[in-house]
């Protein structure tokens, strides 16, 4: 008799022993096609000679890496790091109380909708809206002049502050959502226990809430820091020359200088910096998951996919 | 202290006075004019069914809710304006509320760390309190690794280490199984004896309250019905609700036929004339409720020989005998159809009483001194 159980032993498909391997196949395929292959191409390009009109010639060289050593690159890298750290910090400081308030509110669905609504409008339109507000002839300057507070237009745009403002605005929802979903699972009676034992309101938050939601904080950090580090459109549209970021440098090398190997080398630097940063953070976090304390590892499940290394 | 034999222990802690406290959630009155005076060092229980406002009252004392009216005085000082961290009161929460990210040691040390106590003092004190609750061996575990009873002990040690003047306990044993509950109850009692501060203990379990409390406040629907020692509450319930809620009882209505001193003769609805006791006898003709505890009734096959003055006798038929090891319970139906519950302890060899079985015709007798008027209806 051929019972169903006999099939596994008799079949020629004996190589796939664990069903886990089979289930993981789509993910493996995805990673290979959309992540590992492009990464390999970028690594390869960075060691080649630029072609005359873009593209590469297959002559190996370290020219791209020599070019990185120049001071302009260092300046832009430094600026990128400063902007990314600053904007991420501001985003988290705003997102934390927002997520806390949402988790404690009785109208969570409404608030969740309000956080998501900006996603309904195209990202570029929203940046142009900021330009319409902050520009020299913009809404804010009109208002200030009408109130007689200023005589001449204030120059809000085209500096590092404007870049930070718009970046914070753009990535705030990406920080709020994982924080909200982690804090929502937090047992608020622990805050009362802390107060009972003598902690002030702030003390209870710092000593009890934050350690218990650090998984959510880490997720929020990664969801904002990584895309901000690779930002392109925001510094391009509302930044000035001094707020140039690595993303802009890459675009210039690709489109203006047509130096694809240099663009690839710069991309690799971004990848390297963010990867090392993430690994260090994970380690400092006791190798815990992104989701929070044990048993709550699904905290980031409800959060949106991060635009990792996105070109915004 | 009400209980003798422990006079040598020093009375610490605060007295807690609750005056006319009112609290509503929307339209719903959770506490309606509650007044209680709790003495220094007392083991005081708030007893009542679920939803009667016990937790709300405890949270008002701790500072987590503010009442709409009334006052809470600790040693005579009104504390209602103070936040929870400023009150010298600590709480053992119903769900323990242990900090999951901290070890047992750090949970217990939490309030000392907040005070920035020196490390050597922290070590010594935490060790002392872990010893008090017998958890020295588990100091480095996280709460998730502990059993329910162990979590309970951590919560107690954590609340006591600051030497509060009042410890609030919100149904601390409700999550434990029956055996462990009994054990922890005895332990709580001995901790109270050692520490000597005021305990305010919330429970819906009348057995728990009766067995450890110095005094009990029985609550229902946001009101305090009676405050008294376990004996007073058990033997002289102030209202029908208290009589029914505490232990098992027989509760009936009757009219007052005559009064002589503290003895009142009732014309009952189903048992004929019955003599009961009342400290403040109501006037003849009043409609009253009266009670007799099942274990205060004697059951026998023969009519009581000496129908002395003050002994009531009622005839009936055993409807349902329930055997439960150390005692038997009988539901005895009088000719009128009313049923009296009787509990008979299984005594030692000297007890020569007859076996009583289903359908037996029996005689019940009880003393007027054990039967009480509870409420005067009109
Ligand atoms: N924050 C609240 N909002 C609305 N109703 C509440 C709140 N807290 C308690 N209640 C209500 O008040 C009543 C008393 O609650 P509680 O004090 O917890 O009762 P107990 O501890 O005696 O079971 C309950 O009916 C409960 O539903
Ligand atoms: Mg309760």
């Amino acid at each position: 008799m051929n019972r169903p159980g006999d099939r596994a032993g008799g079949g020629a498909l004996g190589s796939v022993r664990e069903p886990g391997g089979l289930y993981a196949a789509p993910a493996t395929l995805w990673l290979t096609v959309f992540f590992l292959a492009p990464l390999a191409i970028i690594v390869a390009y960075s060691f080649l000679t630029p072609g005359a009109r873009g593209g590469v010639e297959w002559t190996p060289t370290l020219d791209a890496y020599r070019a990185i050593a120049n001071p302009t690159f260092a300046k832009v890298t430094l600026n990128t790091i400063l902007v990314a750290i600053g904007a991420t910090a501001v985003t988290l400081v705003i997102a934390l109380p927002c997520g806390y308030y949402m988790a404690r509110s009785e109208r969570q669905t409404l608030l969740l909708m309000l956080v998501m609504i900006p996603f309904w409008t195209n990202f570029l339109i929203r940046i142009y809206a900021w330009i319409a507000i902050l520009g020299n002839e913009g809404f804010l300057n009109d208002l200030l002049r009408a109130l007689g507070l200023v005589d001449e237009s204030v120059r809000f745009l085209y500096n590092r502050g404007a870049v930070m403002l718009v970046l914070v605005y753009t990535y705030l929802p990406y920080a709020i959502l994982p924080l909200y979903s982690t804090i929502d699972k937090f047992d608020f009676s622990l805050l009362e226990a802390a107060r009972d034992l003598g902690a002030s309101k702030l003390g209870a938050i710092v000593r009890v809430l934050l350690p218990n939601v650090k998984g959510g904080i880490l997720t929020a950090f990664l969801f904002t820091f990584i895309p901000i580090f690779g930002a392109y459109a925001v510094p391009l549209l509302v930044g000035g020359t001094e707020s140039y970021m690595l993303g802009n440098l890459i675009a210039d090398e690709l489109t203006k200088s047509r130096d694809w190997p240099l663009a690839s080398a710069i991309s690799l630097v971004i990848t390297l910096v963010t990867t090392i940063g993430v690994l260090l953070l994970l380690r400092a976090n006791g190798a815990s998951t992104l989701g929070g304390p044990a048993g709550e590892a699904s905290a980031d499940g409800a959060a949106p996919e991060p635009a990792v290394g996105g070109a915004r | 202290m009400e209980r003798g034999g422990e006079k040598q222990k020093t009375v610490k802690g605060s007295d807690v006075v609750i005056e006319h406290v009112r609290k509503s959630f929307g339209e719903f009155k959770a506490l309606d004019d509650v007044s209680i005076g709790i003495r220094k060092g007392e083991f005081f229980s708030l007893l009542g069914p679920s939803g009667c406002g016990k937790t709300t009252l405890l949270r008002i004392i701790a500072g987590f809710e503010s009442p709409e009216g009334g006052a809470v005085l600790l040693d005579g000082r009104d504390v209602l304006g103070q936040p929870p961290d400023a009150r010298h009161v600590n709480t053992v929460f119903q769900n323990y509320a242990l900090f999951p990210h901290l070890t047992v040691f750090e949970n217990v040390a939490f309030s000392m760390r907040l005070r920035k106590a020196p490390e050597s003092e922290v070590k010594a004190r935490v060790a002392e309190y872990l010893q008090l609750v017998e958890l020295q061996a588990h100091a480095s575990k996280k709460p998730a690794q502990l059993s329910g009873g162990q979590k309970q002990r951590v919560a107690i040690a954590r609340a006591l280490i600051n030497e509060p003047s009042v410890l609030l306990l919100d149904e601390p044993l409700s999550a434990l199984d029956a055996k462990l509950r009994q054990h922890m109850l005895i332990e709580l009692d001995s901790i109270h004896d050692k520490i000597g501060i005021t305990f305010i203990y919330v429970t819906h379990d009348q057995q728990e309250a009766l067995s450890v409390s110095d005094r009990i406040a029985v609550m229902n629907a946001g009101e305090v019905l009676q405050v008294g020692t376990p004996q007073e509450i058990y033997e002289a319930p102030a209202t029908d609700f208290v009589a029914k809620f505490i232990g098992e009882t027989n509760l009936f209505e009757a009219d007052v036929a005559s009064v002589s001193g503290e003895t009142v003769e009732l014309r009952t609805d189903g048992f004929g004339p019955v003599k009961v006791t009342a400290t403040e006898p109501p006037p003849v003709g009043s409609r009253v409720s009266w009670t007799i505890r099942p274990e205060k009734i004697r059951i026998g096959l023969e009519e009581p020989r000496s129908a002395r003055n003050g002994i009531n006798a009622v005839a009936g038929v055993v409807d349902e005998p329930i055997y439960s090891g150390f005692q038997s319970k009988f539901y005895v139906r009088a000719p009128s159809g009313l049923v009296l519950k009787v509990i008979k302890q299984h005594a030692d060899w000297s007890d020569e009483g007859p076996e009583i079985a289903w359908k037996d015709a029996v005689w019940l007798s009880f003393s007027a001194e054990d039967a009480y008027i509870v409420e005067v209806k009109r």
Side-chain angles (χ1 to χ4, degrees), chain A:
Chain A
M1 288 298 293
N2 218 9
R3 294 184 303 135
D6 296 339
R7 274 215 315 247
L13 295 166
S15 56
V16 185
R17 272 180 298 161
E18 283 180 54
L22 201 60
Y23 292 135
T28 314
L29 193 71
W30 176 276
L31 265 178
T32 312
V33 173
F34 294 103
F35 180 72
L36 290 177
L39 191 66
I41 293 172
I42 291 174
V43 171
Y45 271 31
S46 70
F47 290 102
L48 297 174
T49 310
R53 306 162 154 233
V56 286
E57 281 169 15
W58 289 85
T59 323
T61 169
L62 286 177
D63 279 357
Y65 290 95
R66 286 194 196 100
I68 279 185
N70 104 27
T72 323
F73 178 79
K75 211 180 121 216
V76 175
T77 308
L78 189 68
N79 180 57
T80 308
I81 291 175
L82 285 182
V83 169
I85 289 178
T88 305
V90 173
T91 307
L92 290 186
V93 166
I94 298 172
L96 207 57
C98 287
Y100 180 84
Y101 179 79
M102 283 171 67
R104 297 219 81 166
S105 167
E106 282 163 14
R107 288 164 305 177
Q108 296 190 346
T109 321
L110 175 74
L111 294 173
L112 217 54
M113 285 295 292
L114 290 178
V115 172
M116 312 270 255
I117 277 175
F119 289 118
W120 294 355
T121 310
N122 180 282
F123 164 68
L124 284 174
I125 307 255
R126 285 184 280 136
I127 298 185
Y128 281 110
W130 275 108
I131 294 174
I133 294 170
L134 299 176
N136 281 352
E137 302 301 320
F139 172 75
L140 192 57
N141 270 314
D142 286 352
L143 190 72
L144 289 178
R145 272 199 303 268
L147 293 173
L149 291 175
V150 293
D151 297 327
E152 306 232 321
S153 293
V154 185
R155 197 163 169 274
F156 292 115
L157 283 176
Y158 312 119
N159 52 40
R160 205 184 270 158
V163 173
M164 297 254 286
L165 174 74
V166 177
L167 283 173
V168 168
Y169 161 79
T170 306
Y171 291 103
L172 200 51
Y174 294 93
I176 289 179
L177 291 177
L179 281 172
Y180 156 74
S181 81
T182 315
I183 296 175
D184 193 40
K185 292 194 199 78
F186 176 75
D187 174 7
F188 289 103
S189 69
L190 296 181
L191 291 184
E192 289 191 341
R195 296 298 308 276
D196 193 69
L197 293 166
S200 63
K201 266 186 185 156
L202 188 66
I205 299 238
V206 171
R207 282 169 178 267
V208 176
L209 178 76
L210 292 189
N212 279 296
V213 300
K214 68 177 179 185
I217 297 174
L218 185 61
T219 309
F221 177 84
L222 296 178
F223 281 10
T224 45
F225 183 81
I226 293 175
I228 289 177
F229 199 76
Y232 160 69
V234 173
L236 183 73
L237 294 173
V238 301
T241 44
E242 105 278 6
S243 41
Y244 222 57
M245 291 175 68
L246 283 176
N248 306 101
L249 213 54
I250 295 173
D252 282 355
E253 294 306 330
L254 277 175
T255 57
K256 291 184 191 148
S257 319
R258 311 245 167 174
D259 190 342
W260 288 25
L262 183 53
S264 302
I266 300 172
S267 304
L268 283 180
V269 169
I270 295 183
T271 311
L272 219 60
V273 168
T274 45
T275 309
I276 290 172
V278 168
L279 289 180
L280 285 179
L281 256 176
L282 285 175
R283 253 186 92 150
N285 204 27
S288 84
T289 56
L290 297 186
E296 296 183 0
S298 61
D300 55 337
E305 285 283 307
V308 177
R312 292 183 163 184

Side-chain angles (χ1 to χ4, degrees), chain B residues 25 28 30 48-57 65 170-171 202:
Chain B
F25 296 107
F28 179 78
S50 180
C52 73
K54 308 179 295 288
T55 298
T56 305
L57 184 55
E65 306 273 4
D170 192 358
E171 310 227 8
V202 161

